[in-house]
Amino acid sequence: MSLESNIPALFNPQTVAVIGASASPGKVGYSVVANMLDAGFQGTLIPVNPTRDEILGLPTVKTIEALPEGLDLAVIVLPVAGVVPAMEALARRKARAAIVITAGFKEVGGDGAALERRLIEICEANDIAMVGPNCLGLISTGGKVNASFAAGNALTGTIACFSQSGALCTAILDWAQGENVGFSKFVSLGNKAVINEADMLDSLSDDPETSVIVGYLENVEDGPHFMKKAPEVTRKKPVIIIKSGTTAAGAKAASSHTGAIAGDDAAYTAAFRKTGVVRAENMAELFDYAQAFSTQPLPKGPGLAIITNSGGPGAMAADATEKSSLEVAQVMPETAAKLKAVLPAFASVANPIDIIGDAPAERYRKTLEIVAADPNVHIVLVLLSPTASAEIDETAKAVIDVARTSDKPFFVNFMGGLRIKTGQVLLREAGIPFSVYLEPLIACAEAMYGHYLWTTAAPAAYPDVARNQAAARKVIAEARSTGATEIVEFQAQSVLSAYGLPTPQTALTTTAKEAAAAATKIGFPVVLKIASPQISHKSDVGGVKVGLASADEVAAAFTAITAQAARMRPDAKIAGCLVQEMAPKGCKELIIGFKRDPRFGPLLMFGLGGIYVEILKDISFRLAPVTRAEARAMIGEIKSYKLLAGARGEKPVNLQALEDILVAMSQMAMDFPEIVEADFNPVLVNAEKAIVADVRLALSE
Ligand code: ADP
Ligand code: MG
């Protein structure tokens, strides 16, 4: 037995005990028993209560000791002080799984956190799969289990849902009832002390009752576990997650909520992307995605066909499609010919296909049949404006019929309110994504196409970076031996060289005369930079002079730079000046680097540098290691990409060289966990080459 092997006991238990069961309606200990009965639980349900003989018609037992050995599931609704002793007693009864609904643990800090640690110890030592504490409980429609204090049960369906917030669980359940959406499993994870999101994903990935997994998270509990599990699951079924704590204010609210220390949002976005998780930005999106993914097949291409009874909405749909990663499909000539044969003369048979304002349901039906069969069409978007002659219900039925026989996803936008209501109800009941607005439908189709690409992508191939790890290790060890936590430019250049990263020709000089000689050797113009292990931002102390064109200028600059640095930073040990080859004029300045995220590891960054970087924040992120394709995507993703690709007659910069830098840096980040931050700022690039013109590495303490 292992803890993981006991997870199924949560969803398909035979024997369930409710510890703290109550006979008073309104109490949580009552609701759980009542919900289990309402769910039609088929196994043995045992309320545990020290004083009562019977609760809701069920005989009780007075103590945990009286429970059968090896019971599957215990639901604990005791006051907080009683939870640890109860779990100890359950461990002696060899319980396989538990749900701790009681709050007052890690989320309150102090003693609560200590109690939670104790719960974890007991569960881990005894292989008890525990959900919670501080949760609403869980529902398993297949197992006829409602071990929660939710107001009501879930309908049966194929969506599995887990949430870190119990309140959100109640909201989702309520929404789902209104929308006729059902669930296979519904789990309130609470503090995730033992069972966390990665365990959930793992246990749901092969669950035949589940076609789509949706989740609400405030944090990911175990980064490496999640990174390993999530991609395995997302290749089998879509995982849609909404993650709060994305703003500083949100993060603060989340941390006081379940005691989660919310991580950095860019890292989460990168983690979801790398693992194929579909991220929903808000609740509306979560609901829309959950419904669309669970009812419609994935589009096998980006081609979207718009069928409309009016020009304006058709044009708007085409605009929205163009703005997305989807395309307004070019219908085949055969399709156009077939459409011409059945549509009135004024109709437009080019996409958007305008079947005109007087279109009856039958015209929709014929058009949909023809269009859905076109191999260039991967997604069908049906639009209807409630004209006087529009047959709302009949059109809805026509869409439902055609969608049923098609292997392509259908989305429906009836604009309006009052008149279209009945059509909306019919479509929703049939499980066809419907909205009175276009945008959510396009967003769903886009997310589904993105997921299709993920499921069909070849496995990531990480490039083999030629490198001399020993040489890099030596530099790092030397820096460490001096107690330094930072490696500044000159030494850091050796680490970069060991990874084949291009750096400008550089000499460390200790006198003005030496500097002038080195410059003559390198060739003018040169750059002079202050060299001190303590000065990481050289310009701040006037420590960088570019464009020095003669030996005299270099000598003078040496004296000026070292004197000013000594004056401004009396604490710093000044080694002299670096004399450096100057990058040619007209290079673009980029910032490339990484920061080690505590959860997900090295988060690589790429962006346009220069003085506006902080304001423009035009940066893309990926988690290491990156493939060449990911490196290319990072470069292509920034808004100023057009500047790199050659704007206004400029030649494009050497994009391949930038890719090389990203890939080599990614490898360096993987090889040296002690490098916690790297800053290549700037990387100077033109059409010929890229060089790392400044670099700073930060080491762990
Ligand atoms: P800092 O420690 O202040 O960041 P840098 O080495 O980045 O010092 O130099 C400051 C600026 O000088 C860079 O942002 C870049 O614009 C310019 N610069 C530095 N090195 C070179 C070089 N080798 N060629 C051309 N310009 C350079
Ligand atoms: Mg710099």
Side-chain angles (χ1 to χ4, degrees):
M1 274 293 145
S2 66
L3 202 152
E4 287 72 34
S5 68
N6 280 330
I7 292 177
L10 287 163
F11 299 119
N12 288 298
Q14 286 311 307
T15 308
V16 177
V18 180
I19 324 290
S22 162
S24 320
K27 289 231 160 130
V28 175
Y30 176 91
S31 301
V32 174
V33 179
N35 276 342
M36 284 298 289
L37 290 173
D38 285 347
F41 181 59
Q42 308 280 299
T44 313
L45 181 61
I46 312 170
V48 180
N49 182 301
T51 54
R52 302 195 67 98
D53 295 329
E54 169 267 330
I55 288 175
L56 282 158
L58 296 167
T60 65
V61 303
K62 300 274 156 58
T63 65
I64 292 173
E65 280 67 28
L67 286 169
E69 188 172 282
L71 73 154
D72 293 307
L73 176 61
V75 188
I76 304 180
V77 285
L78 297 170
V80 64
V83 176
V84 166
M87 195 62 85
E88 282 165 341
L90 284 164
R92 287 191 294 273
R93 295 315 295 147
K94 300 193 166 37
R96 297 178 61 202
I99 300 168
V100 179
I101 288 178
T102 311
F105 291 87
K106 190 174 87 185
E107 78 280 8
V108 301
D111 291 350
L115 284 178
E116 185 160 321
R117 280 195 297 277
R118 182 69 195 119
L119 275 184
I120 296 172
E121 277 168 22
I122 301 166
C123 292
E124 286 181 347
N126 296 281
D127 294 332
I128 300 173
M130 181 187 81
V131 167
N134 182 25
C135 73
L136 186 81
L138 69 78
I139 297 172
S140 159
T141 51
K144 296 195 186 300
V145 169
N146 182 354
S148 79
F149 65 102
N153 201 358
L155 301 171
T156 302
T158 65
I159 300 173
C161 176
F162 60 80
S163 165
Q164 204 169 335
S165 152
L168 220 79
C169 288
T170 60
I172 294 174
L173 273 177
D174 195 45
W175 162 81
Q177 253 141 18
E179 296 291 317
N180 198 32
V181 169
F183 295 94
S184 56
K185 314 271 181 322
F186 199 96
V187 185
S188 165
L189 289 173
N191 291 3
K192 304 191 290 189
V194 173
I195 298 294
N196 62 36
E197 57 285 329
D199 303 311
M200 267 304 110
L201 289 177
D202 198 25
S203 73
L204 293 168
S205 80
D206 290 318
D207 176 19
E209 292 168 4
T210 299
S211 68
V212 177
I213 302 169
V214 304
Y216 164 81
L217 290 180
E218 285 157 10
N219 71 337
V220 162
E221 209 55 43
D222 179 346
H225 192 200
F226 181 86
M227 294 304 286
K228 186 171 173 294
K229 279 296 155 213
E232 294 169 12
V233 182
T234 56
R235 286 195 199 282
K236 293 185 201 160
K237 49 186 83 165
V239 175
I240 304 156
I241 290 181
I242 180 167
K243 153 89 181 58
S244 70
T246 56
T247 60
K252 219 168 147 232
S255 93
S256 51
H257 187 191
T258 36
I261 301 151
D264 173 25
D265 192 54
Y268 275 100
T269 305
F272 290 166
R273 190 198 304 264
K274 203 169 186 62
T275 54
V277 167
V278 178
R279 184 171 189 171
E281 294 299 335
N282 48 53
M283 285 307 287
E285 244 177 47
L286 186 77
F287 292 152
D288 290 343
Y289 287 3
Q291 218 231 355
F293 273 96
S294 67
T295 58
Q296 299 299 299
L298 293 178
K300 296 192 174 60
L304 182 138
I306 301 156
I307 292 94
T308 177
N309 66 345
S310 51
M316 287 203 295
D319 285 350
T321 306
E322 290 295 340
K323 275 191 216 139
S324 75
S325 56
L326 304 173
E327 291 159 17
V328 178
Q330 285 276 343
V331 297
M332 304 267 287
E334 294 86 325
T335 305
K338 280 186 205 156
L339 286 172
K340 268 208 159 63
V342 298
L343 293 178
F346 298 138
S348 158
V349 297
N351 194 9
I353 297 150
D354 186 347
I355 61 172
I356 334 191
D358 66 351
E362 209 36 46
R363 196 183 295 161
Y364 266 100
R365 181 188 300 272
K366 282 189 194 132
T367 308
L368 288 171
E369 276 166 356
I370 296 168
V371 172
D374 187 313
N376 288 353
V377 172
H378 308 110
I379 303 156
V380 181
L381 175 62
V382 187
L383 269 46
L384 175 143
S385 305
T387 60
S389 54
E391 299 171 345
I392 310 280
D393 293 6
E394 289 311 309
T395 304
K397 283 179 197 152
V399 175
I400 294 164
D401 290 345
V402 182
R404 216 163 257 158
T405 60
S406 173
D407 60 354
K408 294 171 185 175
F410 276 59
F411 298 88
V412 181
N413 164 233
F414 285 4
M415 289 192 177
L418 212 55
R419 280 200 59 215
I420 55 105
K421 264 266 144 35
T422 50
Q424 168 173 355
V425 170
L426 287 170
L427 287 157
R428 289 235 166 117
E429 271 171 5
I432 306 230
F434 173 94
S435 173
V436 290
Y437 304 110
L438 278 166
E439 293 73 14
L441 299 172
I442 304 270
C444 279
E446 205 180 356
M448 291 176 78
Y449 177 55
H451 185 68
Y452 169 77
L453 292 177
W454 164 260
T455 55
T456 51
Y462 295 106
D464 199 8
V465 175
R467 58 199 192 274
N468 181 348
Q469 273 195 70
R473 187 167 295 119
K474 196 159 154 254
V475 179
I476 294 167
E478 270 165 23
R480 279 228 186 268
S481 71
T482 66
T485 53
E486 206 171 61
I487 308 183
V488 292
E489 187 168 1
F490 193 58
Q491 287 73 25
Q493 279 187 344
S494 323
V495 179
L496 266 53
S497 303
Y499 276 77
L501 286 155
T503 54
Q505 202 184 327
T506 306
L508 174 60
T509 62
T510 53
T511 65
K513 211 168 143 218
E514 251 179 67
T520 311
K521 211 169 140 208
I522 288 171
F524 296 99
V526 294
V527 184
L528 215 60
K529 297 181 181 180
I530 190 74
S532 162
Q534 284 84 34
I535 300 178
S536 45
H537 300 289
K538 302 174 287 286
S539 302
D540 292 357
V541 297
V544 179
K545 291 214 185 309
V546 299
L548 302 171
S550 69
D552 286 350
E553 273 184 40
V554 170
F558 186 99
T559 313
I561 286 179
T562 46
Q564 186 173 358
R567 203 165 55 241
M568 291 180 72
R569 290 287 301 274
D571 61 301
K573 192 176 143 287
I574 290 164
C577 280
L578 302 183
V579 181
Q580 192 169 82
E581 167 192 2
M582 174 109 186
K585 277 210 173 68
C587 280
K588 300 270 185 303
E589 287 203 16
L590 299 168
I591 172 165
I592 298 180
F594 71 81
K595 191 182 133 215
R596 201 166 289 275
D597 182 81
R599 265 195 187 82
F600 301 115
L603 182 66
L604 312 184
M605 318 180 243
F606 174 91
L608 207 62
I611 50 175
Y612 299 126
V613 60
E614 302 278 323
I615 300 165
L616 298 174
K617 292 206 176 75
D618 189 11
I619 301 173
S620 60
F621 299 93
R622 287 292 185 286
L623 284 168
V626 290
T627 62
R628 277 211 159 263
E630 284 176 292
R632 205 171 312 128
M634 278 184 87
I635 299 167
E637 214 169 80
I638 62 167
K639 291 187 212 84
S640 2
Y641 172 69
K642 286 198 180 104
L643 295 179
L644 301 178
R648 320 208 66 163
E650 280 179 346
K651 272 199 205 158
V653 304
N654 189 335
L655 297 168
Q656 172 93 31
L658 295 176
E659 249 175 71
D660 290 341
I661 292 178
L662 282 166
V663 165
M665 181 180 75
S666 162
Q667 187 65 55
M668 188 175 99
M670 296 307 289
D671 290 346
F672 290 101
E674 59 266 54
I675 306 178
V676 290
E677 245 179 82
D679 230 334
F680 300 179
N681 183 17
V683 171
L684 299 172
V685 63
N686 63 14
E688 277 72 50
K689 61 175 183 175
I691 57 162
V692 182
D694 182 23
V695 47
R696 184 186 142 260
L697 304 174
L699 303 177
S700 55
E701 297 289 339

